[in-house]
Amino acid sequence: MSAKKDDKPAEETMETAPEEAQAPAQQQQQVKVNDTDVAASYANFCRVSSTPEELILDLGLNPQPLDPANTEINVGQRIILNHYTAKRLLSALSMALQRHEQAFGVLETDIRKRVVRQQT
């Protein structure tokens, strides 16, 4: 799936990691991100694997999330990161999810506990 492109590049703030924040010489950095040619896609499946040098993140669409054993999942995106970038991503995702859960409640990751069964 594609998302609508903005005419202007987005500007984001990159914060230092908690371990780096202790160093007085380091301050918040402004990073300009040009996302005019970005293609957005949706994923409800993720697989993580790694080598000594890299972490590999496969993202795809699972059309049958209630029966994953009998479903073929097409990987739509493969992101390859070094372990330093993966650790920064882990920290950023963790902070974003904590803020979301504080605002909207705890996210249940087990789909079987989220599905409401209809009585017959």
Side-chain angles (χ1 to χ4, degrees), residues 8-95:
K8 293 188 247 176
E11 190 170 312
E12 292 184 7
T13 302
M14 183 176 186
E15 296 179 11
T16 57
E19 356 10 288
E20 296 171 354
Q22 296 173 359
Q26 295 210 354
Q27 296 188 2
Q28 196 172 19
Q29 300 174 3
Q30 292 290 325
V31 177
K32 291 186 179 183
V33 176
N34 182 347
D35 63 356
T36 55
D37 294 325
V38 72
S41 58
Y42 175 80
N44 65 356
F45 171 82
C46 173
R47 177 180 63 187
V48 179
S49 55
S50 68
T51 69
E53 294 85 20
E54 300 165 331
L55 186 127
I56 302 157
L57 180 62
D58 288 333
L59 302 169
L61 182 63
N62 181 355
Q64 297 292 328
L66 295 176
D67 190 16
N70 299 317
T71 302
E72 181 175 319
I73 298 170
N74 292 323
V75 172
Q77 298 286 322
R78 174 168 288 155
I79 301 171
I80 303 168
L81 310 162
N82 63 49
H83 287 90
Y84 296 101
T85 302
K87 189 169 184 177
R88 288 190 294 272
L89 176 62
L90 172 66
S91 177
L93 289 172
S94 178
M95 287 188 294

Side-chain angles (χ1 to χ4, degrees), residues 104-119:
F104 302 105
V106 176
L107 294 167
E108 176 57 62
T109 56
D110 186 348
I111 193 166
R112 293 170 295 188
K113 293 180 182 177
R114 289 186 281 139
V115 173
V116 177
R117 295 185 188 261
Q118 295 183 356
Q119 297 179 359

